[in-house]
Amino acid sequence: MAGTGPRSRRREVLDVLRAASGPLGVAETAERLGVHPNTVRFHLEALVDEGAVEPRVQERSGPGRPRTVYTPRPGMDRGGTRNYRLLAQMLLGRLAATGSDARSAAMEAGRAWGRSLGEAPLSQRHPAAGESAARLVGLLDELGFAPEPEGRGEGEGRDGPGVVPSRIRLRHCPFLELAEEHGKLVCPLHLALMQGALTEMRAPLTVTDLEPFVEPDVCVAHLAPVPQ
């Protein structure tokens, strides 16, 4: 086989199946590739696990046990390479080209996503300040920001008055390269996402500011009570 790694060799097995006029067994596939059947069997099992190939039981026309044959599933190969970063760069580049409206458009998109992420049953709306902050920290953790709440602000927390973080340190940016390239859009989007999530919760807190890279490995989101 011409490939040098598991992925390239797996691709060759899949190409043979796609070029065939009908389903192929392990031995037939191995013969067409000029490799040992065990090699083909290994890659076929992996392709089945990926959903790229479908195994079928084929009855023999004469004596003998039924055999398993394989056929490619229709549709694009879901095991192939993805490049979502390129897509994000294209969309951010196009947004940046709109000029003065770019930041407000990014924040509008962030708030919309934040509202969808902050949705909760009516019984869980209007949480106390401490619970609101905890929910926001949990959401940021799920998104990959590695949040660390710190400080104390005004409000009623689960542990009593005043036990509410005034800041959330973000030690990881899941969009780091994009933030470095398009920080004037990505950072406001993150700020608006947090604001939208808290608004959807009907929380008594909001995020007033997001300071990017206050340290080489830290951004800081500032919390404050919602003005009455």
Side-chain angles (χ1 to χ4, degrees):
M1 300 173 81
T4 58
R7 176 58 60 182
S8 59
R9 290 171 180 168
R10 201 163 298 160
R11 167 66 64 181
E12 290 177 347
V13 172
L14 185 57
D15 288 342
V16 166
L17 294 179
R18 285 175 170 165
S21 58
L24 297 178
V26 171
E28 295 166 296
T29 307
E31 182 180 357
R32 297 188 184 199
L33 288 169
V35 299
H36 195 278
N38 285 344
T39 300
V40 169
R41 185 176 288 107
F42 169 79
H43 290 298
L44 283 172
E45 290 175 355
L47 288 167
V48 170
D49 291 341
E50 292 174 3
V53 167
E54 179 182 0
R56 298 178 183 176
V57 176
Q58 186 179 70
E59 299 290 340
R60 294 184 181 274
S61 57
R65 297 169 57 185
R67 65 172 187 147
T68 301
V69 295
Y70 300 85
T71 186
R73 289 184 181 272
M76 288 282 185
D77 178 12
R78 296 191 176 275
T81 302
R82 300 289 191 272
N83 198 340
Y84 294 119
R85 180 181 169 187
L86 175 60
L87 174 62
Q89 287 175 317
M90 293 166 60
L91 294 175
L92 286 169
R94 180 66 185 90
L95 182 59
T98 62
S100 58
D101 293 334
R103 188 178 190 277
S104 60
M107 294 194 70
E108 182 179 349
R111 288 194 187 95
W113 273 105
R115 288 194 297 270
S116 68
L117 295 172
E119 286 181 344
L122 291 177
S123 61
Q124 297 180 19
R125 303 283 178 90
H126 302 282
E131 183 178 351
S132 302
R135 288 191 194 177
L136 179 61
V137 168
L139 173 61
L140 292 171
D141 189 45
E142 290 178 3
L143 293 175
F145 285 94
E148 295 179 353
E150 66 173 19
R152 293 187 175 187
E154 299 177 2
E156 181 74 26
R158 288 182 175 179
D159 301 320
V163 187
V164 180
S166 58
R167 298 178 298 277
I168 301 176
R169 293 164 65 86
L170 307 175
R171 289 203 163 272
H172 180 262
C173 179
F175 313 106
L176 179 59
E177 293 79 11
L178 296 173
E180 290 173 338
E181 185 176 353
H182 295 284
K184 292 183 178 180
L185 297 179
V186 174
C187 296
L189 189 150
H190 290 165
L191 169 62
L193 184 148
M194 290 184 276
Q195 292 173 339
L198 289 170
T199 298
E200 186 64 24
M201 296 177 204
R202 310 295 193 270
L205 293 176
T206 189
V207 179
T208 58
D209 188 27
L210 174 61
E211 292 184 277
F213 305 110
V214 295
E215 299 173 23
D217 60 344
V218 174
C219 299
V220 176
H222 294 268
L223 298 174
V226 173
Q228 299 296 323

